[in-house]
Amino acid sequence: MNIDMIRAAATRLQGHAVRTQLVRSPFLDEIAGRRVWVKPECLQHTGSFKFRGGYSAVSALSPEVRAKGVIAFSSGNHAQGVALAAKMHDTSAVIIMPSDAPQLKIDNTKAYGAEVVLYNRDTESRDDIGAKISSERGLTLVKPFDEPLVVAGQGTCGIEIAEDANALGIKNAEVIVCCGGGGLTSGIALALEADAPTLRVRPAEPEGFDDVARSLRSGTLESNTATSGNICDAIITPRAGELTFPVMQRLCGAGLAVSEDEVLGAMAQAFARLKLVAEPGGAAALAAALYRRDQITGDDVIVTISGGNVDPAMFARALETL
């Protein structure tokens, strides 16, 4: 995982991914006490940044390997990203999803033409299921975050953030990233190290599932004791990746943890002020910027809204906080 891989992924994604622009609102600035710049990856294909990594990985396979099909495991966003990337390359995709994933994400993944296999995330191992099916069918496994080609695709977000920050004259800022396994966080950190070294990445996670923040404090890879039980399903993983954590340990600042109420508030503010639809996991970084202002430094903060695939009932719950 390095900047050359990220630049190569950017070339492959050219003309296929949405080039999302930084946006802001004075209303959000007032809440946060500083300028808040939002990277709206909820407007990306499939409604999430995960399309970048999925397309990066599928497009890098040889035609012979790609023709056999791909397999992935995901709570929904990586699933959709890989499913669409496979469809765009005229190949098949099998997606292993937790049975408690939002129905919208399951339905959308099927709509992209993928075969969906459901599992119980508390009693079954998605890694074991994926390895078994991959071996039986000769499919290529596209991991959700601990895969260099996927991280390279996510890193293209960082290239764009660096370009926009330079154009806007943002010289020093913290870049808060919604963080699960660390693919987006480490990818952006690697890109900024090369193209905007004065911008510092900080991961944002749900309270009680802040394994990355704890790992950064302890210096060792720590795990979550549970893998469900929070509205931020998109960024709940057992622990960060073996590949992604060393990058975050080297390049990232301290992690930020946000409550469910703060996440719901951020979702509501994103809609009211920017007309953006954010899913809970995709709003964690904005929640940190808005409601953990004393833990952030500088006049500017850049945040990712990493996904917008939210069920109507959950979105209505968020809007009730306005």
Side-chain angles (χ1 to χ4, degrees):
M1 300 187 299
N2 55 56
I3 189 59
D4 291 334
M5 291 182 67
I6 295 172
R7 297 202 201 287
T11 298
R12 294 196 303 277
L13 281 161
Q14 185 71 37
H16 300 289
V18 176
R19 205 303 188 180
T20 56
Q21 304 285 336
L22 294 182
V23 295
R24 59 181 285 248
S25 161
F27 296 101
L28 299 184
D29 295 351
E30 184 176 356
I31 297 172
R34 56 179 52 85
R35 290 180 291 273
V36 179
W37 302 90
V38 175
K39 178 72 168 169
E41 283 294 294
C42 50
L43 302 179
Q44 187 56 256
H45 295 311
T46 72
S48 162
F49 77 94
K50 289 286 192 176
F51 172 76
R52 296 175 183 264
Y55 191 95
S56 170
V58 174
S59 64
L61 297 175
S62 70
E64 296 77 18
V65 170
R66 189 165 55 230
K68 297 178 181 178
V70 296
I71 185 171
F73 38 79
S74 165
S75 64
N77 286 335
H78 180 62
Q80 294 173 78
V82 172
L84 179 56
K87 183 177 181 179
M88 293 170 71
H89 286 88
D90 296 319
T91 192
S92 62
V94 175
I95 309 297
I96 303 163
M97 302 182 70
S99 56
D100 62 347
Q103 192 61 44
L104 176 68
K105 295 181 179 181
I106 295 174
D107 292 343
N108 285 351
T109 303
K110 292 179 179 178
Y112 288 124
E115 175 189 345
V116 173
V117 176
L118 299 178
Y119 76 101
N120 186 316
R121 72 165 98 205
D122 291 322
T123 61
E124 297 178 286
S125 167
R126 66 183 187 181
D127 298 86
D128 291 344
I129 295 170
K132 183 174 184 293
I133 296 177
S134 177
S135 175
E136 290 175 348
R137 304 192 193 181
L139 307 177
T140 297
L141 177 62
V142 181
K143 295 182 180 180
F145 52 82
D146 220 21
E147 160 55 53
L149 288 169
V150 170
V151 173
Q154 320 307 24
T156 61
C157 272
I159 290 178
E160 294 174 9
I161 288 172
E163 291 173 351
D164 285 355
N166 181 64
L168 292 165
I170 303 171
K171 302 300 183 184
N172 296 282
E174 295 186 347
V175 180
I176 306 178
V177 181
C178 306
C179 186
L184 180 63
T185 307
S186 60
I188 289 177
L190 285 168
L192 296 183
E193 177 188 31
D195 291 355
T198 59
L199 304 184
R200 182 179 66 161
V201 171
R202 296 184 65 184
E205 301 168 284
E207 288 181 339
F209 299 87
D210 57 341
D211 56 296
V212 171
R214 289 184 284 109
S215 298
L216 290 174
R217 287 196 299 270
S218 69
T220 60
L221 196 55
E222 300 194 16
S223 301
N224 288 315
T225 56
T227 55
S228 61
N230 190 282
I231 63 174
C232 297
D233 65 284
I235 57 173
I236 293 177
T237 58
R239 66 182 200 173
E242 299 286 346
L243 297 177
T244 60
F245 177 63
V247 176
M248 293 188 287
Q249 187 176 28
R250 181 171 68 86
L251 296 176
C252 291
L256 297 156
V258 292
S259 70
E260 288 192 345
D261 286 344
E262 289 167 337
V263 165
L264 291 169
M267 292 169 63
Q269 290 298 329
F271 178 73
R273 306 309 181 187
L274 295 172
K275 309 307 177 225
L276 294 173
V277 175
E279 63 188 88
L286 179 59
L290 296 181
Y291 307 121
R292 300 303 172 99
R293 55 189 287 179
D294 293 341
Q295 299 178 38
I296 301 166
T297 62
D299 296 328
D300 295 278
V301 62
I302 300 170
V303 305
T304 61
I305 291 184
S306 57
N309 294 311
V310 58
D311 283 341
M314 180 62 70
F315 194 58
R317 180 180 167 189
L319 295 184
E320 289 174 357
T321 67
L322 288 173

